[in-house]
Amino acid sequence: MKKKQIPVSNTGGINLEKQALSKLNSGKYKEAIQLYKKLLHDEGKEQWHKQLAYCYLQRALDFAATGKFKEALVLWENHSEHTQPPYQDYDHYISWLLQINNSDRIQSCLGQLSAQQLDKQYPKLAALLGLLMITEQPEFEQILPKDSVFIAHFKIIQSALKAYQENNLNDINEVLKQLPYRSAFRDFRTLLKASITVQSSEKQTKLLLAKIPADSPYSQTAKLLLACTYNGTSLLQVIEQFKHKQRRIIGEIKGFDKKQLEFLEQLAKHTNRFSDKIKFNLAIKYQSLLDNELVQRFCHAMLTVYPAGRRDFNNNFDSVNEFEENRLKALSCEHNNDGYDAEYYWKQCIKILIKEGTDSSLKIALILRHLSTQVEESEQTELLIESLQFDPEDRDSYLQILGYYSQQQKTAQDYKKWLTKTIKKFPQDIDVLTLAVKAATRNKTYQKAIQFALKILKIDPLNIFAKQILFSSHLAHARQLLQGKKFHLVEKEIQQAEDMKIGKAHTLQTQLMRGFLCFAGQDKPLGLQKIAESLNKLNNDPVNTYFQAAIEALLTNLPVATILRELPPAKDHLLSEQELSRFIQLLQQYNHEDNIQEQLHKAIEKIKAPLKKSLQHQNYDENLLLTLSQELNNIQHFELLRHCSKLAQSKWQKPIWMYYRVFSETNDNPEKCSFLNFLKLEENHEQAKQDKDHRAMALIGKFLDRYHETHSQPGMGFLGNMFDSDEEDFEDPLAIFDHLPVEIFRKLQKKITSLMKKMSPEKLVQGFNEISDDNNILLGMSQDPDLFMALLIVRAADDLGIDIDVSVNDVVKRFGVDKNTSPFPF
Amino acid sequence: MKTPYEILDVTADANDVQIKQAYLRHVKENPPDRDQDQFQLIHNAYTSIKDHKSRISFALFNVPEVDFDELVDQALDTVQTFEFDAEHFNKLLHAGIDDTTIGNALSSSEK
């Protein structure tokens, strides 16, 4: 092939020399060689010879680095033609000859080596030659200079090896001591020492082997020796770096039999990437190397992740029966998050167990309970109820069933039925009795609540919950009796509550009740006086006094206004943190009894003004406001909650406050939640996730679920609820986006939220080139916020490059702002 | 990964009393203030097999752990003690010379 000619300018030798030097300096040796050869053709300058020799040498080294040793040798020889001995990198030249095993040239070159070169100039070549002489090329000893230190050291090494073969370990150490530190055999010495210690001290061996550098000719042997010290999985970690022959030698040294050697090869073949199938098949194939129980257990376990191995399993071990087969399939499906198929296989298991008879009842019940954890709540209860047919004594299932039925009003009858069943089944169980007390309190059957609370106290005399319930049940019953004007029985109930002696506050509570009894039955002025006295002792501020007086009066059906008149005015009082805490405590105390929400709302009405004022002016702690919001949420007092959350949100921009705000603004009706608030909630839900605010996450998540339930129309139809309209024939202009799938809309959502934050209507309108009459659009926006939203959607889609098939003009037309809609004549 | 039976060192047919005794013995040897993780392991093992119902439940729903390492360790285990002599050393020296040995020997030499 014709060589590519380097373009050479015709300006003479000086330019050519410059070009050659430039190529040399920039590492373009091939081109430099051509130029120097051309120069030397005309004139044999010494300098050019030197530079040509340098270029040949660099090319040779480059070729050798890529494993092209024959080419490297030719180039090195070309280099030698242009320079005088001693030649540069002669050791490399010899190493390349060794690499291609050109024995004639090797012998000739080694014969030309001087003792000086071997001992001083080429230490790496000497180390390599040393290894070759010890192993494959002992004949080098005859060629190399006899007067060299290298040969003297080689003789020492031979003595050491002889001593090793004769197992004369003491002699080895003595012999090795003769080698100086800088000997060409120093890595050999370390390796030999390591091999001597390998049996007695693995640690010492490892320390010694670590001293052998990675570029030493002995490093591979050091790695092999190190691998011999490893067992099992540790060996597996390193085995892949070796070749088949090397692995075999390691195996033989470790005493592996034929099967183990084969297993080792298989392990190395998969280079530590073992799929479930490979693991299973290796275990089956090499089971003779394993304990039968272990391999069977392993393969059995593997069937859950590798079900295709079932046939091999049955062929090799006791076959898996039908039940076990289905069980493993079910577990395998669960492993792959395939709940649907898992349920199918578990049900197959149940069918098989039913055929087996009563002994399997517990297993059936457990499977049904297991299934109940994988399905939706409504199905859970059915499965739990079914499980009780097979294992009727399972207390946890009863409690779970009750837990589910207690959540909804529509299942109140079921709750009652199951509570009765559970009490009958577990009459001495405190948890069950506690549920019974709560149910009785909810139903205002205070006598029942008292009975259950007494039962609890009989089992656990220190049970605080039972004591408190008993106390409040006595008082609640007393209020009931007071309403029915059965005054003689009221005193008895109060007395029973008082006899419990569970604290000063409780005693004051009974005194307050006596005041009401006195007011209702015997002596109004005295009653009023007693009420005022007790309330003043119970509360330190007029607001809470007012509130408690009002709620107690409402609960006993006594005239609120008459009683409140006797109390100091509360209108202008600002509640301190402590007083607000007392108010929350009162809310909790009275809300404990269900179905008194109406009375609570009425009582709050009496103190609403000072409460709002306090929230406005006092600098309450965030946690206190959160507790208040929680209670207001519980009693569904949306007005106060709205007030509280709005103020709190202005101070703390946290997801929980956004939730309370939307919750109160919509009166807990997600249907009324505007689209904008929906977006904000979604954003805050994400924020709560990031903040790890689990409470806010759960509350917002639940609200969003309900939002989706109530806005379940496909596409963008739910935008229609953004602003409620009672008109039946109302045509929603945002319906132009109805064709968009929800997925697309979700993509737009974040962008819309961010645009809303940073973009005013004016800026938004200015951003559209298609809009010629900004003022008309802005006026349209002020009249219909949907227009702003529609333009935001178009802008968001535009920014994200999503084709929504709705243009600005479509929006403008749809909202009728393409013509002058201004109500003004200008 | 050990099964709860192996952790508590009881047989698969051990009864409630035997399991509880084994649990208490293990807890005594590994109190929570000494090694919290080990204690938790023992406690979890006990909880999963402490009574008849939990044992049935364990047998039904426990996804058995697969430990391939344990398998490899056993398969490559040898009965004989490890012996290394001059002959082995010689074999390793020979095996240590491969295509890369000569190439690498001078590769890091300065040009």
Side-chain angles (χ1 to χ4, degrees), chain A residues 397-661:
Chain A
S397 295
Y398 279 96
L399 291 178
Q400 279 185 56
I401 293 166
L402 286 172
Y404 172 72
Y405 283 145
S406 69
Q407 288 171 19
Q408 295 171 49
Q409 194 57 43
K410 63 182 179 189
T411 52
Q413 279 306 315
D414 290 317
Y415 181 82
K416 202 175 163 186
K417 190 178 98 186
W418 275 92
L419 184 62
T420 313
K421 272 189 190 182
T422 315
I423 295 168
K424 210 172 164 188
K425 198 95 195 160
F426 308 100
Q428 297 295 311
D429 189 300
I430 289 185
D431 290 338
V432 175
L433 289 169
T434 304
L435 288 176
V437 169
K438 284 181 181 170
T441 316
R442 249 197 324 272
N443 299 333
K444 297 192 175 186
T445 47
Y446 299 111
Q447 285 288 50
K448 264 191 178 180
I450 290 167
Q451 279 171 18
F452 287 126
L454 284 169
K455 261 191 173 182
I456 295 175
L457 287 170
K458 208 172 174 184
I459 302 162
D460 174 14
L462 299 175
N463 192 302
I464 293 168
F465 167 79
K467 278 186 180 178
Q468 279 178 346
I469 282 288
L470 194 58
F471 178 82
S472 54
S473 295
H474 279 307
L475 287 194
H477 195 209
R479 286 189 203 105
Q480 242 178 12
L481 293 167
L482 203 60
Q483 281 188 37
K485 300 194 186 307
K486 293 172 185 169
F487 301 129
H488 59 292
L489 294 173
V490 175
E491 175 54 35
K492 198 180 150 196
E493 285 293 333
I494 296 171
Q495 192 56 52
Q496 278 178 328
E498 208 166 45
D499 289 347
M500 288 181 68
K501 292 177 183 159
I502 53 171
K504 195 185 165 189
H506 290 83
T507 312
L508 288 171
Q509 191 77 28
T510 53
Q511 283 171 10
L512 177 64
M513 192 52 80
R514 279 221 172 78
F516 278 98
L517 175 62
C518 181
F519 177 82
Q522 310 150 8
D523 187 340
K524 269 191 185 175
L526 183 65
L528 279 173
Q529 193 190 332
K530 282 184 175 180
I531 289 168
E533 275 172 18
S534 306
L535 284 169
N536 283 333
K537 282 178 189 166
L538 278 163
N539 304 289
N540 295 326
D541 65 282
V543 177
N544 280 313
T545 307
Y546 238 67
F547 174 69
Q548 198 169 15
I551 186 72
E552 285 291 352
L554 285 162
L555 289 174
T556 44
N557 215 8
L558 292 171
V560 180
T562 316
I563 295 165
L564 293 184
R565 264 201 299 274
E566 294 300 312
L567 301 172
K571 205 171 71 182
D572 297 321
H573 183 79
L574 288 180
L575 289 161
S576 66
E577 281 213 346
Q578 209 178 356
E579 288 159 357
L580 186 65
S581 295
R582 167 69 183 158
F583 173 67
I584 296 167
Q585 189 199 333
L586 284 173
L587 280 181
Q588 287 166 340
Q589 181 186 320
Y590 286 103
N591 193 35
H592 203 68
E593 301 166 31
D594 270 9
N595 303 328
I596 64 156
Q597 215 175 75
E598 193 190 329
Q599 289 94 328
L600 277 171
H601 279 230
K602 280 183 183 170
I604 289 174
E605 200 59 34
K606 305 285 177 196
I607 54 155
K608 203 167 75 184
L611 253 180
K612 279 189 172 180
K613 215 161 143 186
S614 301
L615 288 168
Q616 188 90 41
H617 293 101
Q618 297 289 68
N619 196 18
Y620 294 124
D621 177 67
E622 189 187 4
N623 284 332
L624 186 65
L625 290 185
L626 274 173
T627 320
L628 175 68
S629 299
Q630 175 68 47
E631 278 316 307
L632 293 172
N633 181 354
N634 290 345
I635 61 165
Q636 302 211 316
H637 201 293
F638 300 115
E639 188 191 340
L640 265 183
L641 184 57
R642 217 157 27 232
H643 191 77
C644 176
S645 58
K646 205 173 168 181
L647 287 168
Q649 211 194 7
S650 65
K651 283 188 198 169
W652 306 286
Q653 283 79 38
K654 288 185 183 169
I656 190 75
W657 292 118
M658 175 49 78
Y659 164 76
Y660 278 132
R661 198 171 162 186

Side-chain angles (χ1 to χ4, degrees), chain A residues 124 199 260 291 327 391, chain B residues 53 60 73-74 77 84 108:
Chain A
K124 291 204 170 187
Q199 261 178 261
Q260 282 175 311
D291 175 56
R327 186 183 82 89
D391 175 25
Chain B
K53 198 182 268 189
L60 277 173
D73 284 341
Q74 196 179 88
D77 193 24
F84 193 85
S108 58

